[in-house]
Amino acid sequence: MRDSVLIIDLNDYTYEIQSRPDLFEKWIGGTGVAVQLLREHMDPKADPLGEENVIVFATGPFTPAYPLASKTVAMFKSPLTGNLGESHAGGRTATSIANAGYGAIVIKGASEKPVYLVIENEKVHFRDGRVLWGIEDSLIVGRIIAENESGRGIRTMMRIGGAGEKLVRYACVTTETYRHFGRLGLGAVFGSKRIKALIVRGRGKFLPSDPKRFREIYDEIYRTAIASDAMKKYHLLGTAENVIPLNELNSLPTRNLTSAKFEKAEEISGEALAEHNLGRRIACSHCPIACIHLAALRIPYENEPYFYKTIMVSYDYELIYALGSMLGVGSREGLLRLIHRVECYGLDAMSTGVCLAWATEALKRGILTRDHTIVELSFGDVDGYLKAIDYIYEQPNEFYRNLAMGVDHASDVYGGKDFALSFGGNEMPGYHTGHAAHIGFATGLRHSHLDSAGYSLDQKVTELTPQEAVDRLVAEECWRQVLSSLVVCFFARGVYKVDLISRAFEPLGVEVTEDDLVRTGEEIYREKLKLKLEMGFKPEDMRIPGRIFEIQSLRGKLDEDFIREAMNYYVRKVREMI
Amino acid sequence: MKRLEIKDIEKCVGCGLCMFACSRKFASHPEIGNSSSAILPVSLSGFERGATVIFCKACSEPPCAQVCPTGALKPKKGGGVVYIERLCIGCKYCVEACTLNAIFEREDGKIAVCIHCGYCVNYCPHGVLEYREVKT
């Protein structure tokens, strides 16, 4: 198994490579290994924007052996929540890191001057990043580096835009232009360490211990992925397919969740985008599905006839929710322009949308004034939002400096807490399906919809007690620790079932039973929970935004007692688990 | 004879499955990774502009064989080259000579070049590549 860990120290521009079979044998890879490396290298009380914060990138044992093992886990202390930060990205990150020979990369310290790093097999180059610093458009940064560095086709290029440099707490790290370590502010951590970009290029080989069986299992996974229905949804319309069903189920958060139904949902649906705008589909490395959908948006120049620019914009369900329905934006052109602006600065789309939705309602209610927002914000007004996104990056006044720290912080300062839609400091994802979704946001260790998929539980099971809901969500999250340690795409969870995973390990020379896997998932969950508690997580203090109880969902109006009971039970369960 | 050809480059999504398939092509010693891959999909400075897939086009007068000092690369009847690995000294003259950049360096210093076996076509999920009979 690949067990090399590359440790880079930006304080003195040194690096070393350690062999850590102990880590990878016990904790698989990805999330499992990242938790341990973060614990080894970082004080849990570290300042997220101080040099003592540490970034871990970890890949898993199936990369690049099998298809769909196409993701990398990033773990760090989040400047948005002040707690555990973990985000996952696709693109070419995983295969490049693996082909360069590494199971994980640890980045410590902070550079005095801006740098960009180039990592290859057994070597790290610290490149002068001063000229690139200040270029706010992450697309341009990517293009400049692409011209300067070798490794076309076998490299990953992670970088930040202006938002990361300006330490917007929900800045993301963009990779291969259209994939992101999106949530919880890795971009700001890059900015605080003065890393503008991180390139990894890899050319390497590994040998299976059972060649014949390896090719057979590969073919089985490949055939399942392309021939069955397991991934059909992602293959065709992509995640944007969810817009219409969720709207019909009364679950699409709209106008800062003053409604869960959006009258213009059809306009910004996956179907409409495919019909009118879909320009190209692309894939993460080693994934046959190609779920990345790029819209081609043709924009005319005012006052200059026959001059157009055509921009390509990557869209997904979460962006359509956050910058579409949540802001009352029902025009596709407007939505795509907003996504593009967020992409340029390198902001997390979900957090940006939720922050702006809160600001819009707060302005309407008189909690904020135009002195704060500078520009008029009203639901559906794209131009106002485009300007406000510029201001989140530029931070021209105290209000935008506060808004750049997240909706939880901004509502601490100005009020409007009841309709500040965040859980554990992380802005809410786009699912108002029922109790399980919100309990999932509150209890999920990343406060992300993908932690435990409560939205799916709401749709599948109607009768659940608060305790059952928590148990089911935690069980799902435990299992997902296995997937994110392997690290296979969550969209491939229908392909990578427990028996297949166990069999897929065999030709790689690793014996793991199905029971081992399930148990390891639970252990990784506990380790992550422990680290989160050491960082100051207090589940008993979890704030549940009052707004979610006011609006009809798929499961009707939500019951505050139900969620309170679930949270009390969860607090007890946490105590038992550690 | 049969050759690996591009059927429709516009459908390339950049998944790289052909590159990984190439590493697995020998049933007796498949590899995991890309060191021995002789096919490389790349974007045109960003996949939004499209892609190109780089591999040996099986020249009838291959410059790579012409510059090989040890006879490790030999012109093949009908086009392309035969690679005799044990004769290769890793000088990379062939890499320089190929106008398409279709000869790749392996991590061990030797080279990888497409042998037109067609194995990768089985793993091209979107019909970019095809393996078909051509006149020589």
Side-chain angles (χ1 to χ4, degrees):
Chain A
M1 219 146 68
R2 191 172 49 252
D3 58 28
S4 287
V5 178
L6 170 67
I7 300 166
I8 299 171
D9 192 338
L10 287 168
N11 285 341
D12 52 10
Y13 307 103
T14 56
Y15 61 94
E16 64 169 312
I17 299 166
Q18 295 179 350
S19 175
R20 294 294 304 274
D22 56 317
L23 271 186
F24 289 87
E25 276 162 24
K26 184 156 170 50
W27 302 108
I28 305 178
T31 298
V33 163
V35 169
Q36 301 303 324
L37 284 170
L38 204 61
R39 171 168 288 141
E40 282 178 25
H41 291 279
M42 192 185 76
D43 176 354
K45 303 284 172 232
D47 170 4
L49 295 177
E51 64 173 64
E52 61 270 30
N53 198 356
V54 168
I55 303 167
V56 179
F57 291 105
T59 63
F62 287 180
T63 310
Y66 298 121
L68 307 166
S70 49
K71 290 224 167 187
T72 304
V73 167
M75 209 174 270
F76 48 96
K77 193 162 182 188
S78 165
L80 179 64
T81 65
N83 204 280
L84 185 66
E86 180 186 347
S87 54
H88 306 170
R92 251 191 246 118
T93 51
T95 53
S96 299
I97 293 171
N99 283 326
Y102 305 111
I105 297 171
V106 177
I107 302 174
K108 307 165 69 159
S111 176
E112 200 186 313
K113 296 271 168 86
V115 288
Y116 75 93
L117 305 177
V118 180
I119 296 172
E120 50 190 35
N121 304 59
E122 282 156 29
K123 226 185 244 169
V124 178
H125 306 272
F126 298 88
R127 303 259 208 258
D128 190 335
R130 286 176 297 177
V131 173
L132 297 177
W133 205 256
I135 298 177
E136 77 264 16
D137 185 339
S138 85
L139 281 82
I140 292 171
V141 175
R143 226 164 271 166
I144 293 169
I145 296 174
E147 296 295 322
N148 278 340
E149 294 290 339
S150 63
R152 273 176 94 199
I154 57 165
R155 68 185 173 199
T156 182
M157 198 190 297
M158 309 175 201
R159 71 271 192 173
I160 56 169
E165 285 186 27
K166 294 266 202 159
L167 308 179
V168 177
R169 302 299 197 269
Y170 41 92
C172 69
V173 168
T174 303
T175 185
E176 283 68 82
T177 309
Y178 299 115
R179 295 293 93 183
H180 313 88
F181 292 97
R183 308 236 67 193
L184 298 169
L186 181 61
V189 182
F190 263 50
S192 71
K193 294 187 178 303
R194 282 170 288 282
I195 308 170
K196 186 67 179 176
L198 176 66
I199 292 91
V200 185
R201 55 174 172 246
R203 204 159 169 93
K205 73 168 181 206
F206 313 91
L207 298 177
S209 62
D210 183 344
K212 183 163 172 272
R213 197 79 192 105
F214 167 60
R215 294 218 310 185
E216 284 166 9
I217 294 274
Y218 188 102
D219 288 352
E220 181 185 340
I221 297 170
Y222 178 68
R223 273 196 313 272
T224 312
I226 59 165
S228 74
D229 281 348
M231 298 193 72
K232 194 170 155 204
K233 153 175 159 185
Y234 306 107
H235 182 68
L236 299 173
L237 291 174
T239 57
E241 185 190 72
N242 287 330
V243 176
I244 287 178
L246 282 169
N247 191 50
E248 280 169 4
L249 296 175
N250 237 346
S251 305
L252 178 66
T254 299
R255 298 188 182 87
N256 202 40
L257 195 55
T258 49
S259 167
K261 238 183 175 14
F262 187 37
E263 70 286 357
K264 291 178 182 158
E266 293 262 344
E267 267 293 287
I268 54 170
S269 65
E271 287 80 351
L273 281 157
E275 189 181 338
H276 300 285
N277 303 90
L278 182 57
R280 204 177 268 284
R281 274 176 42 202
I282 55 179
C284 294
S285 182
H286 218 167
C287 173
I289 301 305
C291 80
I292 307 167
H293 287 56
L294 302 184
L297 179 64
R298 193 169 86 143
I299 305 173
Y301 282 84
E302 280 171 39
N303 312 324
E304 280 193 83
Y306 299 106
F307 252 110
Y308 296 90
K309 62 177 168 186
T310 301
I311 55 173
M312 300 294 269
V313 185
S314 164
Y315 62 88
D316 264 303
Y317 170 73
E318 301 298 345
L319 292 80
I320 297 171
Y321 139 72
L323 300 169
S325 66
M326 197 63 165
L327 296 179
V329 170
S331 88
R332 276 189 308 281
E333 186 189 328
L335 167 69
L336 292 171
R337 290 173 85 126
L338 288 167
I339 295 176
H340 184 67
R341 187 68 56 101
V342 159
E343 182 82 86
C344 289
Y345 289 132
L347 287 159
D348 175 50
M350 275 187 259
S351 288
T352 305
V354 171
C355 283
L356 290 175
W358 168 83
T360 307
E361 185 170 344
L363 184 65
K364 210 165 146 191
R365 287 168 173 251
I367 294 171
L368 298 175
T369 67
R370 274 287 292 278
D371 285 343
H372 293 108
T373 60
I374 308 174
V375 65
E376 180 63 30
L377 298 176
S378 64
F379 289 121
D381 176 14
V382 172
D383 289 331
Y385 289 130
L386 285 169
K387 201 68 216 149
I389 293 169
D390 290 341
Y391 290 149
I392 288 174
Y393 155 66
E394 291 164 13
Q395 298 165 39
N397 64 10
E398 200 182 306
F399 170 70
Y400 281 102
R401 282 193 289 282
N402 283 318
L403 197 62
M405 294 172 80
V407 79
D408 213 28
H409 173 83
S411 58
D412 275 342
V413 177
Y414 301 100
K417 208 78 201 164
D418 253 18
F419 55 91
L421 290 157
S422 67
F423 291 81
N426 193 21
E427 285 74 17
M428 169 190 160
Y431 304 87
H432 185 56
T433 45
H435 297 108
H438 292 288
I439 297 167
F441 304 152
T443 60
L445 299 182
R446 298 188 292 149
H447 307 292
S448 143
H449 58 296
L450 288 172
D451 281 331
S452 50
Y455 59 90
S456 164
L457 193 56
D458 280 326
Q459 291 175 62
K460 283 184 194 143
V461 188
T462 48
E463 295 299 322
L464 278 176
T465 67
Q467 290 80 2
E468 282 166 349
V470 170
D471 287 340
R472 296 271 300 250
L473 290 168
V474 171
E476 177 67 24
E477 190 166 355
C478 286
W479 172 245
R480 288 185 178 217
Q481 303 313 303
V482 176
L483 300 177
S484 66
S485 297
L486 281 171
V487 181
V488 298
C489 181
F490 282 162
F491 296 167
R493 60 187 179 273
V495 176
Y496 279 99
K497 300 227 166 89
V498 65
D499 69 304
L500 175 68
I501 296 171
S502 171
R503 285 187 294 118
F505 265 114
E506 282 168 32
L508 306 181
V510 180
E511 240 181 83
V512 186
T513 66
E514 296 180 23
D515 287 347
D516 289 341
L517 284 168
V518 172
R519 209 174 26 249
T520 306
E522 290 164 4
E523 274 186 65
I524 293 170
Y525 178 90
R526 267 199 302 277
E527 290 287 307
K528 198 153 103 178
L529 176 63
K530 262 196 263 176
L531 182 58
K532 202 169 156 69
L533 292 167
E534 285 164 23
M535 287 180 176
F537 177 51
K538 292 198 173 65
E540 58 274 22
D541 294 348
M542 179 59 56
R543 180 183 73 86
I544 308 291
R547 172 59 49 82
I548 69 164
F549 303 112
E550 295 166 19
I551 305 303
Q552 289 285 341
S553 75
L554 164 65
R555 298 268 152 252
K557 265 204 178 177
L558 302 187
D559 177 4
E560 204 165 342
D561 291 338
F562 187 101
I563 293 204
R564 204 152 308 279
E565 212 176 304
M567 287 311 293
N568 289 339
Y569 174 72
Y570 175 68
V571 169
R572 289 200 300 279
K573 196 176 165 88
V574 164
R575 265 189 231 123
E576 279 163 28
M577 274 187 291
I578 52 161
Chain B
M1 73 187 302
K2 280 189 124 181
R3 287 264 178 74
L4 176 65
E5 303 265 323
I6 297 279
K7 190 175 176 192
D8 184 358
I9 193 62
E10 289 302 326
K11 288 176 84 181
C12 182
V13 297
C15 67
L17 261 79
C18 53
M19 177 177 81
F20 292 108
C22 188
S23 290
R24 293 193 313 279
K25 64 183 174 290
F26 297 117
S28 59
H29 53 100
E31 292 177 11
I32 296 166
N34 59 0
S35 175
S36 303
S37 298
I39 183 166
L40 180 71
V42 298
S43 75
L44 306 175
S45 194
F47 273 103
E48 67 274 18
R49 290 179 192 75
T52 187
V53 182
I54 302 169
F55 57 90
C56 168
K57 77 176 272 285
C59 308
S60 51
E61 268 184 53
C64 58
Q66 207 174 344
V67 298
C68 179
T70 63
L73 285 172
K74 287 201 162 64
K76 195 159 67 177
K77 198 170 158 238
V81 286
V82 178
Y83 176 49
I84 305 157
E85 195 183 316
R86 72 184 157 78
L87 296 179
C88 178
I89 55 169
C91 68
K92 316 276 165 43
Y93 288 177
C94 54
V95 174
E96 293 282 317
C98 178
T99 314
L100 299 179
N101 299 313
I103 297 185
F104 302 92
E105 295 179 37
R106 298 194 322 217
E107 63 172 354
D108 66 359
K110 296 202 177 190
I111 59 136
V113 61
C114 176
I115 53 170
H116 290 268
C117 69
Y119 186 72
C120 56
V121 176
N122 304 317
Y123 300 91
C124 179
H126 303 288
V128 177
L129 301 171
E130 66 179 340
Y131 193 49
R132 66 179 166 92
E133 203 62 48
V134 290
K135 274 197 190 128
T136 57

